Amino acid sequence: MAFDFKKEYKEYYMPPKKPVIVNVPKANYIAVRGKGNPNEEDGEYKQAIGILYAVAYTIKMSKKTDYLINGYFDYIVPPLEGFWWQDGVNGFDTAKKSDLNWISVIRLPDFVTKSDFDWAVKQASIKKKLDCSKAEFLTVDEGLCVQIMHIGPFDTEAASVEVMDKYLTDNEYENDVTDLRLHHEIYLSDVRKVAAEKWKTVIRHPIKKKQEK
């Protein structure tokens, strides 16, 4: 049976609909960076997703090629994720989606090395006839975070963030969003097939213990 990250690492992919604190280990990702409204038809964000999946499935299907990845095991491609921020804004102004910065990512199995990744980028570009040169091998060490399962459209995430913020205050923690520790979302629903009110999105924020004054 193929390895399923969501099932094997439920602590990180399937939180309850209430805030929980987790210590997220370092992980490697296929990443594409960009800026702008993610809803724009044929925009930069949707092009980035195409690149991510092209590289992700090239790695997964490498077992059917002459390229052998050391330690390879069969797995289900993990869900799409994203790190988001707006310059000079604490949180998000959802009315200004064109100001969004993002790093769109798909997690890599630990057996994938940088050289394996570079091979996959070249192969995906050739096989898919798609320029995948924007893809990068990104290592993220999130550490201590709070997360929650948000149910509903992306534009209603502020309500779930408020719940997380109250939980932090009640438990003597505070948000620790920096240039390296960002607002993180994991998309568990296929938005093309599931009604918006039923979308499942993991929202994760970096945190630290509240400093005594």
Side-chain angles (χ1 to χ4, degrees), residues 65-196:
T65 72
D66 293 333
Y67 185 87
L68 301 178
I69 298 178
N70 188 39
Y72 180 96
F73 55 79
D74 195 22
Y75 65 98
I76 296 171
V77 171
L80 180 69
E81 309 183 34
F83 297 94
W84 300 84
W85 73 99
Q86 286 172 316
D87 296 328
V89 176
N90 183 16
F92 288 142
D93 182 349
T94 56
K96 297 181 178 179
K97 291 185 174 65
S98 60
D99 292 341
L100 284 167
N101 300 286
W102 41 264
I103 308 173
S104 192
V105 303
I106 293 177
R107 184 171 175 171
L108 287 166
D110 291 342
F111 60 73
V112 178
T113 66
K114 176 63 165 59
S115 60
D116 297 327
F117 173 85
D118 291 341
W119 168 84
V121 170
K122 290 178 182 177
Q123 286 297 113
S125 298
I126 296 168
K127 297 273 187 179
K128 304 293 184 181
K129 297 181 179 178
L130 176 69
D131 181 4
C132 295
S133 60
K134 288 185 178 180
E136 63 180 274
F137 184 91
L138 179 68
T139 301
V140 179
D141 190 359
E142 288 189 273
L144 195 65
C145 295
V146 63
Q147 63 182 24
I148 194 171
M149 182 70 79
H150 172 74
I151 308 295
F154 302 133
D155 284 347
T156 63
E157 286 183 4
S160 291
V161 171
E162 284 183 14
V163 173
M164 289 200 300
D165 288 346
K166 183 178 185 307
Y167 176 84
L168 294 181
T169 299
D170 291 346
N171 289 275
E172 299 185 342
Y173 286 91
E174 59 186 351
N175 284 300
D176 189 30
V177 176
T178 68
D179 290 345
L180 298 176
R181 306 185 77 208
L182 299 166
H183 171 97
H184 186 178
E185 299 180 359
I186 304 174
Y187 310 108
L188 301 178
S189 300
D190 186 338
V191 299
R192 301 165 300 178
K193 300 177 181 178
V194 179

